[in-house]
Amino acid sequence: MEENVILLDHGSGGKIAHRLTTGLLLPALENPLLAQLNDGAVLEIGNSRLAFSTDTFTVDPIFFPGGDIGELAVNGTVNDLAMCGAKPLYLSLALIMEEGLPLDDLKKIMASIRRAADKAGVQVVTGDTKVVPRAAADKIFINTSGIGVIPEGIDIGGQRATVGDKVIISGTMADHGITVMLQRQEMSFETNIKSDTAALNHMVTRLLAAAPGVHVLRDPTRGGVGTTLNEIAQQAGVGIRIREEALPLDPEVAGVCELLGFDPLYLANEGKLLCLVPAAQAEAALEAICQDPCGRKAAIIGEVVDDHPGRVVLETAIGGRRIIDMLAGEQLPRIC
Amino acid sequence: MEENVILLDHGSGGKIAHRLTTGLLLPALENPLLAQLNDGAVLEIGNSRLAFSTDTFTVDPIFFPGGDIGELAVNGTVNDLAMCGAKPLYLSLALIMEEGLPLDDLKKIMASIRRAADKAGVQVVTGDTKVVPRAAADKIFINTSGIGVIPEGIDIGGQRATVGDKVIISGTMADHGITVMLQRQEMSFETNIKSDTAALNHMVTRLLAAAPGVHVLRDPTRGGVGTTLNEIAQQAGVGIRIREEALPLDPEVAGVCELLGFDPLYLANEGKLLCLVPAAQAEAALEAICQDPCGRKAAIIGEVVDDHPGRVVLETAIGGRRIIDMLAGEQLPRIC
C-alpha cells in the first residue's frame, strides 16, 4: 500500500477518510466554524442564522434506478442544510464535464435538477461550467452548495446528543448503496430495488413542528448508518445502542446484502435521516416522520447511553452485543 | 465536428459556452435571480443583501509560476463576490481527488488555500472530499463557493453600464493565461512571467470608498478582457470603445503573444478587474485602484458609448477601428 498518496479509501466517508480530514485538511484550515464537523456550517449574518453546505457528486453510473446524478446533487445539499435544522433556499450548481458527454445526457440531468429543486422548493441561483479533455474526468461531476435559514429556537448538531435521547431512522437502510452496486457490478439480479434519493426538508419541517426539542439530525450517506452514528457518538462523547431487530430493511435489499456479504449498516442512503430526540418527544417525532411520504417505514432503533462513550453497540437478534465500528475503507467508490 | 456532445469549446467562456449557458442550462433552471448572469447572485435574506457565487478549478498544471490551484480557487471565488460589490466572508471547499495524488501535493495546496484565505480575510467554513479511481479525474479539481455581504447603497451589475462611463482595468492583461500556456506547451522560454492570481476584495473596498458610484465590476478570467467587455455590452445594451494604446501589457507577455500569435485581449486574468464608473468619478477610482499593491498599472482604457450597442470596438494604435468579438471557441482548455 502506498502511504504517501491519496487512496480510494480516503473518499469512503469511513475511518481513513476521517484521518485525512482531521489529520490534514482541518489543521490546514483550522477555524472554529469548520471544526464543528456537522453537515453544514452555521453562520450569523445580520439578523439571520444561516446554514451553508457543499457537496460534490461523482456517482457512477450517472443514471440509475430511482434517480440520476442531477437529482442526487440537489437532494444531497438540500438534505445537508435540512440536517442543520435550516430551511434550504438557494443552491449553486457547478458542472465539470468531460469532452464528449452526450448533450442528451446533459439535458436529462438538467431536467432532473430542475424537478428536484422544484420539489424541494429551492432555487438554483448561480453556476459554473467547466469542460475538461477526454479522460481528464469521467462524464460529469456536479458540485452543489447551498444556503438555508435556521428558524429561531432551533439548535441542532452532533455535539448535542444527550444520554436518554431516542434514535430514530426515517426508513429502510442501504437502498441507494445496493442500487448503485448492482448497476456497477452488472449483475443480472432481477430486483425492484431503487435509490431512495429524496429531499428531506419537508419532513424536517414537519418533524421540528411536532418535536422542537430535536438534538441531532444527520443523513447517513457515505459510510451508512454505522459510520454516521459513530460520528455522533464521538462528537458528543456519548454511547449509542441500537437494536438489530428494529433496523428497517427492504426484504430485497436484505437478500442482496446477505448474498453478497455486505453489511447494510455501512451502505449509503440518499433519502434517509437519523434523528436523536429526547425520549419525551420521541413518539411525536416518529409520528411526524411517518406522516411524510418518505418516512412511512420510520422506526425507533435505539438510544443514547452513558456506557461506552464514543462507541456504537448493536444488540443482535439473538441477544448478543457487537461493537459497530466506523467503516474502515471503501466498500465501493463513487457511490454518490 | 460532433454536434450532439460536449466539446472543449463549451468550457471556453466564449461564444459557444454562452450558447450552452443561454440555450440549455439557463432555460432548464429558469428563474429571475439566475438570469442576471453576473459573477454571483444577489440574495436578500433577513436584513442583509448577500452575494453567493461558485467556481470550479481544473487548471493544468496544478502548480505554476505565481501560484497553484489552491490559491486560484480561493481568489477566484473571493473575486466573484467582490465583483458583486460584496465583502467576501465565508467559503466552502470541495475537493475531487484522483487516486494516487501525492499527499505532499495536497498538503502544499491546502497550505496555499489557507494563506490565500488569510490574505483575503475569508474563512473556509464547510467542505467535502471525494476520491475517484485513477483516470476518472486528473489529479485534483477544486470547487469553492462563497458568501459575502453587500454594504448598503452599493448597486453593481453588468446591466448598469451607462453611456459616458469610463472603463478602467486594474493592471496588465493575459499574465495568467500566458503563464499556464508556457507551462503546458513545455516551451523553454526563459521568462519572468507569472500568474497574476490575487484576491481583489481589498482593492474593491478602497475603490468603492473613493468612487461609490461604480456601475460595473467584473474580473476578466476565461475569455479575457475582450469577452468580458462583450458580456457587459450585451447585458446593458450599450457600446464599449477601448483604445489599443491604453491597454496595459507586460513587455514579456506582449513578446510571447506576438511570437505565438495570441491576442492578449482573449487570455485569462486571475487578479485583474474591469471597472465601469461615471466619468466624474473615474479619476478618483483610478487613483484608488493604483494605491492597491495589485493595481499599480491600472489605466483608463475606454468608455461606454451609444454607438454600436452590444458591441466592443477597438481603436488601434494606427487610428483604425476593429470590432472585438467574443472569443468563439477555446484557446487553451483548463486555464483555470
Side-chain angles (χ1 to χ4, degrees):
Chain A
M1 184 163 121
E2 298 169 271
E3 284 290 354
N4 54 348
V5 301
I6 287 290
L7 307 170
L8 283 174
D9 289 339
H10 284 122
S12 66
K15 259 189 194 171
I16 294 172
H18 272 257
R19 272 210 294 278
L20 178 72
T21 304
T22 54
L24 195 161
L25 302 175
L26 288 183
L29 300 173
E30 202 205 346
N31 70 58
L33 288 163
L34 184 63
Q36 290 171 9
L37 282 183
N38 286 314
D39 281 337
V42 175
L43 312 170
E44 313 239 350
I45 299 185
N47 61 357
S48 307
R49 255 193 325 157
L50 303 184
F52 180 33
S53 188
T54 191
D55 216 339
T56 306
F57 297 83
T58 62
V59 66
D60 172 31
I62 56 178
F63 300 101
F64 46 79
D68 62 35
I69 190 171
E71 189 177 348
L72 210 55
V74 170
N75 292 340
T77 290
V78 163
N79 290 348
D80 281 346
L81 296 172
M83 297 309 118
C84 300
K87 177 179 157 58
L89 294 175
Y90 301 111
L91 297 188
S92 64
L93 176 71
L95 309 176
I96 301 176
M97 294 183 285
E98 183 188 12
E99 182 188 11
L101 177 76
L103 281 179
D104 280 346
D105 284 357
L106 179 60
K107 279 181 205 161
K108 263 190 256 174
I109 290 167
M110 291 304 298
S112 285
I113 288 171
R114 178 58 188 253
R115 255 195 321 274
D118 286 349
K119 209 164 164 187
V122 298
Q123 284 185 298
V124 176
V125 295
T126 190
D128 181 58
T129 307
K130 291 288 187 302
V131 180
V132 298
R134 272 172 219 274
D138 187 18
K139 296 187 273 295
I140 185 169
F141 300 149
I142 304 183
N143 176 278
T144 51
S145 301
I147 299 177
V149 172
I150 303 175
E152 251 183 90
I154 298 296
D155 181 11
I156 287 171
Q159 71 288 351
R160 296 204 65 221
T162 305
V163 173
D165 282 356
K166 293 293 179 187
V167 179
I168 301 175
I169 189 167
S170 67
T172 54
M173 298 188 302
D175 300 350
H176 179 76
I178 286 294
T179 301
V180 173
M181 200 165 295
L182 290 178
Q183 295 293 307
R184 291 276 289 288
Q185 313 291 333
E186 286 169 12
M187 286 181 277
S188 53
F189 283 96
E190 287 280 333
T191 75
N192 297 307
I193 299 171
K194 59 187 203 319
S195 170
D196 57 337
T197 179
L200 298 171
N201 54 324
H202 302 310
M203 180 194 290
V204 169
T205 303
R206 208 188 281 262
L207 165 62
L208 294 179
V214 166
H215 285 148
V216 185
L217 291 173
R218 197 66 68 84
D219 57 337
T221 55
R222 267 186 301 179
V225 169
T227 301
T228 305
L229 288 178
N230 266 280
E231 287 170 5
I232 299 169
Q234 287 173 18
Q235 262 183 291
V238 296
I240 295 179
R241 193 160 56 205
I242 55 176
R243 281 178 303 280
E244 191 171 29
E245 285 182 320
L247 294 168
L249 209 50
D250 173 89
E252 282 194 289
V253 170
V256 173
C257 282
E258 203 152 36
L259 212 60
L260 300 180
F262 284 117
D263 187 340
L265 272 171
Y266 293 117
L267 292 176
N269 310 276
E270 291 291 340
K272 298 291 155 37
L273 62 77
L274 292 165
C275 167
L276 276 62
V277 57
Q281 295 185 15
E283 281 304 328
L286 180 64
E287 202 176 313
I289 294 172
C290 284
Q291 277 165 12
D292 189 276
C294 300
R296 294 209 184 98
K297 295 191 177 154
I300 296 177
I301 60 170
E303 51 272 315
V304 178
V305 294
D306 53 8
D307 281 353
H308 51 81
R311 287 199 172 274
V312 179
V313 169
L314 179 80
E315 293 185 352
T316 63
I318 53 165
R321 287 187 170 204
R322 117 174 125 85
I323 289 174
I324 301 296
D325 206 349
M326 259 192 196
L327 181 64
E330 180 71 69
Q331 283 203 330
L332 185 75
R334 299 182 62 191
I335 202 78
C336 61
Chain B
M1 183 165 118
E2 297 168 88
E3 285 290 356
N4 53 349
V5 301
I6 287 290
L7 306 170
L8 282 174
D9 288 340
H10 283 122
S12 66
K15 259 189 195 172
I16 294 173
H18 272 256
R19 271 210 295 278
L20 178 71
T21 304
T22 56
L24 195 160
L25 302 177
L26 288 184
L29 300 174
E30 202 205 345
N31 69 60
L33 288 164
L34 184 63
Q36 293 171 7
L37 281 182
N38 287 314
D39 280 337
V42 175
L43 312 170
E44 313 238 352
I45 299 185
N47 60 355
S48 307
R49 256 193 323 156
L50 303 184
F52 180 34
S53 187
T54 191
D55 215 340
T56 306
F57 297 83
T58 63
V59 66
D60 172 33
I62 55 178
F63 300 100
F64 46 81
D68 61 34
I69 191 172
E71 189 177 348
L72 211 56
V74 170
N75 292 340
T77 289
V78 162
N79 290 347
D80 282 346
L81 296 171
M83 297 308 120
C84 301
K87 177 179 157 57
L89 294 176
Y90 301 112
L91 296 188
S92 65
L93 176 72
L95 309 176
I96 301 177
M97 294 183 284
E98 183 188 13
E99 181 188 13
L101 177 76
L103 281 179
D104 279 346
D105 285 357
L106 179 60
K107 278 181 205 161
K108 265 191 255 173
I109 291 167
M110 291 305 297
S112 285
I113 288 172
R114 177 58 189 252
R115 255 196 321 274
D118 286 348
K119 209 164 164 187
V122 297
Q123 284 184 299
V124 176
V125 293
T126 188
D128 181 58
T129 307
K130 293 288 187 300
V131 180
V132 298
R134 272 172 217 274
D138 186 18
K139 294 187 276 293
I140 184 168
F141 301 149
I142 303 185
N143 176 279
T144 50
S145 302
I147 299 178
V149 172
I150 303 175
E152 250 183 270
I154 299 295
D155 180 12
I156 287 170
Q159 72 288 351
R160 297 205 65 219
T162 305
V163 173
D165 282 356
K166 294 292 180 189
V167 179
I168 301 173
I169 190 167
S170 66
T172 54
M173 297 189 301
D175 300 351
H176 179 76
I178 287 294
T179 302
V180 173
M181 200 164 298
L182 290 179
Q183 295 294 308
R184 291 275 289 285
Q185 313 290 330
E186 286 169 12
M187 287 181 275
S188 53
F189 284 96
E190 286 281 334
T191 77
N192 297 307
I193 298 171
K194 58 187 205 319
S195 171
D196 58 337
T197 180
L200 298 169
N201 54 324
H202 302 310
M203 180 193 289
V204 169
T205 302
R206 210 188 280 261
L207 166 61
L208 293 179
V214 167
H215 285 148
V216 185
L217 291 173
R218 197 66 68 86
D219 57 338
T221 55
R222 267 185 301 179
V225 170
T227 300
T228 304
L229 288 178
N230 267 281
E231 287 170 3
I232 297 169
Q234 288 174 17
Q235 261 183 292
V238 296
I240 295 178
R241 194 160 55 206
I242 55 175
R243 281 177 304 281
E244 191 171 28
E245 285 182 320
L247 294 168
L249 208 52
D250 174 88
E252 283 194 288
V253 169
V256 173
C257 282
E258 202 152 37
L259 212 60
L260 300 179
F262 285 117
D263 186 340
L265 273 170
Y266 293 119
L267 292 177
N269 309 277
E270 292 291 341
K272 298 292 154 38
L273 61 77
L274 292 164
C275 167
L276 276 61
V277 57
Q281 295 186 14
E283 282 303 328
L286 180 63
E287 201 176 311
I289 293 172
C290 285
Q291 278 166 12
D292 189 276
C294 300
R296 295 209 184 96
K297 296 191 175 153
I300 296 177
I301 60 170
E303 50 272 317
V304 178
V305 295
D306 54 8
D307 280 356
H308 51 80
R311 286 198 173 277
V312 179
V313 170
L314 179 81
E315 293 184 354
T316 64
I318 55 166
R321 286 187 170 204
R322 116 174 126 85
I323 290 174
I324 300 296
D325 205 349
M326 255 189 200
L327 180 64
E330 179 73 69
Q331 284 202 328
L332 185 76
R334 301 183 60 191
I335 202 77
C336 61

